[in-house]
């Protein structure tokens, strides 16, 4: 199914629910389908819905359409000017080949633990807008991503937009890769220091982005030690849990120092 407008897409989504799999850039779905993990009865492609492609600042807030590609975000003058740390986090995903098709909605809705943008968006306090014929709701990244490949998106909802508040001047994104042949991070740290104080979100080390405001007081060493102790890291081909714990301590310290 290839609706040409958002209204049409929402109507089809509400009618078919989980019977039709939403298709954005297809970089995640394509792998699952090619490997035989997924055999959708129908695909609901958002590729023709122009309304979902926008990247614009409105009232000081950044609005990213769900179908904006990673490359759109990385190269947008608006994002580079006002949200440079976000342009950078998106620019560190994989290769231009992937970034030219992978979308903002896709990288949040697939809920892959080893992704880059979710941790950065969480640190910036972004909201994902979910819409259905029942109405609209805006959820934080923490509310959206529930676990491995699991989100709170209901079968009749589409992720239509991501809204990002103004970026504080002091912000950083550190991506740590453990192997030269690997795109995805072993650990990634997004740190922002603004009016509300320090916010640190660690990605790719556990099921969901790890965000502990109660650990964000004090010197960089203490914040880093707190995160390394509190997080229960996972083990995968990019690093064991014990290795990740040491990477978290080093990378959180460096990130906090960068925004001090
Ligand atoms: C070789 C390679 C390397 C990669 N390296 C990295 C990396 O280093 N860092 C990183 O962060 N990511 C990486 N990725 C992941 C890539 O960013 C994701 O595959 C991509 O973001 C998914 O976006 P998509 O638009 O292709 O989604 P799709 O594959 O089309 O969809 C992904 C999932 O989201 C659902 N979905 C999509 N859009 C919506 C919507 N609007 N509303 C509701 N549900 C929706 C789909 O149903 C599906 O379940 C890599 C991918 C590849 C192929």
């Amino acid at each position: 199914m290839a609706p040409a407008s958002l209204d049409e897409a929402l109507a089809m989504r509400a009618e078919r629910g989980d019977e039709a799999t939403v298709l954005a850039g297809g970089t995640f779905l394509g792998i699952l389908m090619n490997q035989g993990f997924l055999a959708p009865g129908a695909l609901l492609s958002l590729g023709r819905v122009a309304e979902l492609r926008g990247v614009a600042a409105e009232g000081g807030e950044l609005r990213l359409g769900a179908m904006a590609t990673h490359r759109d975000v990385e190269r947008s003058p608006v994002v580079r000017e006002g949200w440079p740390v976000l342009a950078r986090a998106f620019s560190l995903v994989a290769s231009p080949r992937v970034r030219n098709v992978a979308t903002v909605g896709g990288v949040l809705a697939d809920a892959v633990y080893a992704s880059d943008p979710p941790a950065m968006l969480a640190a910036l306090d972004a909201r994902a807008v979910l819409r259905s014929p029942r109405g609209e709701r805006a959820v934080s990244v923490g509310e959206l991503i529930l676990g491995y490949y699991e989100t709170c998106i209901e079968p009749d909802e589409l992720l239509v937009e991501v809204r990002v508040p103004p970026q504080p001047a002091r912000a950083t994104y550190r991506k740590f890769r453990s192997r030269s042949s690997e795109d995805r991070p072993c650990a990634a740290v997004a740190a922002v220091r603004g009016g509300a104080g320090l916010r640190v979100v660690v990605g790719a080390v556990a099921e969901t982005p790890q965000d502990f405001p109660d650990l964000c007081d004090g010197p960089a060493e203490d914040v880093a030690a707190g995160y390394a102790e509190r997080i229960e890291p996972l083990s995968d081909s990019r690093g064991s849990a014990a290795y990740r714990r040491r990477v978290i301590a080093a990378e959180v310290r460096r990130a906090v120092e960068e925004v001090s």
Side-chain angles (χ1 to χ4, degrees), residues 25-27 67-71 93 97-104 106-107:
T27 57
M67 288 299 289
T69 65
H70 287 40
R71 200 83 167 135
V93 170
R97 222 178 131 204
V98 170
R99 296 199 297 277
N100 272 324
V101 279
T103 65
V104 169
V107 78

mmCIF file of all heavy atoms in Angstrom, residues 25-27 67-71 93 97-104 106-107:
data_model
loop_
_atom_site.group_PDB
_atom_site.id
_atom_site.type_symbol
_atom_site.label_atom_id
_atom_site.label_comp_id
_atom_site.label_asym_id
_atom_site.label_seq_id
_atom_site.Cartn_x
_atom_site.Cartn_y
_atom_site.Cartn_z
ATOM 1 N N GLY A 25 12.284 3.729 5.391
ATOM 2 C CA GLY A 25 13.424 3.577 4.472
ATOM 3 C C GLY A 25 13.692 2.125 4.096
ATOM 4 O O GLY A 25 14.342 1.835 3.099
ATOM 5 N N GLY A 26 13.238 1.214 4.945
ATOM 6 C CA GLY A 26 13.398 -0.219 4.672
ATOM 7 C C GLY A 26 14.778 -0.773 5.010
ATOM 8 O O GLY A 26 15.048 -1.941 4.744
ATOM 9 N N THR A 27 15.652 0.009 5.644
ATOM 10 C CA THR A 27 17.005 -0.495 5.923
ATOM 11 C C THR A 27 17.002 -1.529 7.042
ATOM 12 O O THR A 27 17.871 -2.401 7.088
ATOM 13 C CB THR A 27 17.976 0.649 6.305
ATOM 14 O OG1 THR A 27 17.455 1.347 7.431
ATOM 15 C CG2 THR A 27 18.187 1.612 5.156
ATOM 16 N N MET A 67 9.622 10.930 8.018
ATOM 17 C CA MET A 67 10.265 10.418 6.801
ATOM 18 C C MET A 67 11.472 11.254 6.374
ATOM 19 O O MET A 67 12.036 11.020 5.303
ATOM 20 C CB MET A 67 9.247 10.324 5.666
ATOM 21 C CG MET A 67 8.231 9.201 5.850
ATOM 22 S SD MET A 67 9.020 7.550 5.911
ATOM 23 C CE MET A 67 9.514 7.359 4.204
ATOM 24 N N ALA A 68 11.877 12.219 7.189
ATOM 25 C CA ALA A 68 13.152 12.904 6.907
ATOM 26 C C ALA A 68 14.250 11.861 7.053
ATOM 27 O O ALA A 68 14.231 11.049 7.987
ATOM 28 C CB ALA A 68 13.361 14.036 7.905
ATOM 29 N N THR A 69 15.193 11.862 6.145
ATOM 30 C CA THR A 69 16.270 10.864 6.237
ATOM 31 C C THR A 69 17.363 11.348 7.194
ATOM 32 O O THR A 69 17.442 12.539 7.527
ATOM 33 C CB THR A 69 16.914 10.614 4.858
ATOM 34 O OG1 THR A 69 17.563 11.817 4.439
ATOM 35 C CG2 THR A 69 15.891 10.166 3.825
ATOM 36 N N HIS A 70 18.222 10.414 7.574
ATOM 37 C CA HIS A 70 19.361 10.795 8.421
ATOM 38 C C HIS A 70 20.194 11.874 7.721
ATOM 39 O O HIS A 70 20.694 12.797 8.341
ATOM 40 C CB HIS A 70 20.249 9.575 8.679
ATOM 41 C CG HIS A 70 19.657 8.576 9.642
ATOM 42 N ND1 HIS A 70 18.333 8.231 9.663
ATOM 43 C CD2 HIS A 70 20.235 7.857 10.633
ATOM 44 C CE1 HIS A 70 18.124 7.341 10.619
ATOM 45 N NE2 HIS A 70 19.252 7.090 11.216
ATOM 46 N N ARG A 71 20.337 11.708 6.419
ATOM 47 C CA ARG A 71 21.143 12.656 5.634
ATOM 48 C C ARG A 71 20.486 14.037 5.619
ATOM 49 O O ARG A 71 21.172 15.062 5.669
ATOM 50 C CB ARG A 71 21.277 12.094 4.218
ATOM 51 C CG ARG A 71 22.414 12.665 3.438
ATOM 52 C CD ARG A 71 23.735 11.988 3.746
ATOM 53 N NE ARG A 71 24.734 12.374 2.748
ATOM 54 C CZ ARG A 71 25.956 12.726 3.060
ATOM 55 N NH1 ARG A 71 26.358 12.747 4.307
ATOM 56 N NH2 ARG A 71 26.798 13.045 2.102
ATOM 57 N N VAL A 93 25.982 7.865 11.900
ATOM 58 C CA VAL A 93 25.309 6.592 11.620
ATOM 59 C C VAL A 93 25.851 6.003 10.318
ATOM 60 O O VAL A 93 25.810 6.651 9.264
ATOM 61 C CB VAL A 93 23.779 6.791 11.511
ATOM 62 C CG1 VAL A 93 23.113 5.530 10.984
ATOM 63 C CG2 VAL A 93 23.197 7.186 12.859
ATOM 64 N N ARG A 97 25.314 5.855 2.203
ATOM 65 C CA ARG A 97 24.368 4.964 1.527
ATOM 66 C C ARG A 97 23.180 4.626 2.436
ATOM 67 O O ARG A 97 22.028 4.620 2.000
ATOM 68 C CB ARG A 97 25.115 3.678 1.177
ATOM 69 C CG ARG A 97 24.809 3.147 -0.170
ATOM 70 C CD ARG A 97 25.656 1.916 -0.391
ATOM 71 N NE ARG A 97 24.801 0.858 -0.875
ATOM 72 C CZ ARG A 97 25.077 -0.419 -0.754
ATOM 73 N NH1 ARG A 97 26.173 -0.808 -0.136
ATOM 74 N NH2 ARG A 97 24.260 -1.301 -1.247
ATOM 75 N N VAL A 98 23.487 4.329 3.699
ATOM 76 C CA VAL A 98 22.417 4.024 4.652
ATOM 77 C C VAL A 98 21.695 5.313 5.044
ATOM 78 O O VAL A 98 20.462 5.380 5.072
ATOM 79 C CB VAL A 98 22.986 3.311 5.908
ATOM 80 C CG1 VAL A 98 21.932 3.217 7.006
ATOM 81 C CG2 VAL A 98 23.527 1.938 5.543
ATOM 82 N N ARG A 99 22.465 6.384 5.294
ATOM 83 C CA ARG A 99 21.847 7.620 5.785
ATOM 84 C C ARG A 99 20.942 8.273 4.737
ATOM 85 O O ARG A 99 20.031 9.025 5.079
ATOM 86 C CB ARG A 99 22.925 8.626 6.232
ATOM 87 C CG ARG A 99 23.746 8.129 7.421
ATOM 88 C CD ARG A 99 24.457 9.261 8.134
ATOM 89 N NE ARG A 99 25.442 9.957 7.324
ATOM 90 C CZ ARG A 99 26.693 9.553 7.129
ATOM 91 N NH1 ARG A 99 27.119 8.427 7.688
ATOM 92 N NH2 ARG A 99 27.520 10.255 6.384
ATOM 93 N N ASN A 100 21.180 7.994 3.486
ATOM 94 C CA ASN A 100 20.329 8.549 2.431
ATOM 95 C C ASN A 100 18.924 7.967 2.425
ATOM 96 O O ASN A 100 18.009 8.558 1.850
ATOM 97 C CB ASN A 100 20.954 8.314 1.053
ATOM 98 C CG ASN A 100 21.889 9.440 0.679
ATOM 99 O OD1 ASN A 100 21.629 10.601 1.007
ATOM 100 N ND2 ASN A 100 22.970 9.129 -0.004
ATOM 101 N N VAL A 101 18.734 6.808 3.042
ATOM 102 C CA VAL A 101 17.391 6.196 3.043
ATOM 103 C C VAL A 101 16.802 5.994 4.440
ATOM 104 O O VAL A 101 15.587 6.054 4.615
ATOM 105 C CB VAL A 101 17.356 4.852 2.273
ATOM 106 C CG1 VAL A 101 17.247 5.069 0.793
ATOM 107 C CG2 VAL A 101 18.543 3.985 2.612
ATOM 108 N N ALA A 102 17.663 5.745 5.437
ATOM 109 C CA ALA A 102 17.156 5.512 6.802
ATOM 110 C C ALA A 102 16.493 6.791 7.325
ATOM 111 O O ALA A 102 17.002 7.885 7.112
ATOM 112 C CB ALA A 102 18.302 5.104 7.722
ATOM 113 N N THR A 103 15.388 6.621 8.030
ATOM 114 C CA THR A 103 14.582 7.784 8.427
ATOM 115 C C THR A 103 14.592 8.017 9.942
ATOM 116 O O THR A 103 14.909 7.119 10.724
ATOM 117 C CB THR A 103 13.117 7.605 7.978
ATOM 118 O OG1 THR A 103 12.574 6.483 8.697
ATOM 119 C CG2 THR A 103 13.014 7.380 6.477
ATOM 120 N N VAL A 104 14.159 9.221 10.302
ATOM 121 C CA VAL A 104 14.025 9.606 11.713
ATOM 122 C C VAL A 104 12.991 8.707 12.406
ATOM 123 O O VAL A 104 13.210 8.200 13.513
ATOM 124 C CB VAL A 104 13.593 11.093 11.812
ATOM 125 C CG1 VAL A 104 13.173 11.461 13.221
ATOM 126 C CG2 VAL A 104 14.710 12.007 11.305
ATOM 127 N N GLY A 106 12.004 5.731 11.439
ATOM 128 C CA GLY A 106 12.458 4.335 11.439
ATOM 129 C C GLY A 106 13.432 4.027 12.553
ATOM 130 O O GLY A 106 13.331 2.994 13.222
ATOM 131 N N VAL A 107 14.361 4.939 12.804
ATOM 132 C CA VAL A 107 15.393 4.636 13.807
ATOM 133 C C VAL A 107 14.826 4.702 15.231
ATOM 134 O O VAL A 107 15.387 4.107 16.147
ATOM 135 C CB VAL A 107 16.634 5.552 13.649
ATOM 136 C CG1 VAL A 107 16.403 6.941 14.218
ATOM 137 C CG2 VAL A 107 17.867 4.905 14.265
#
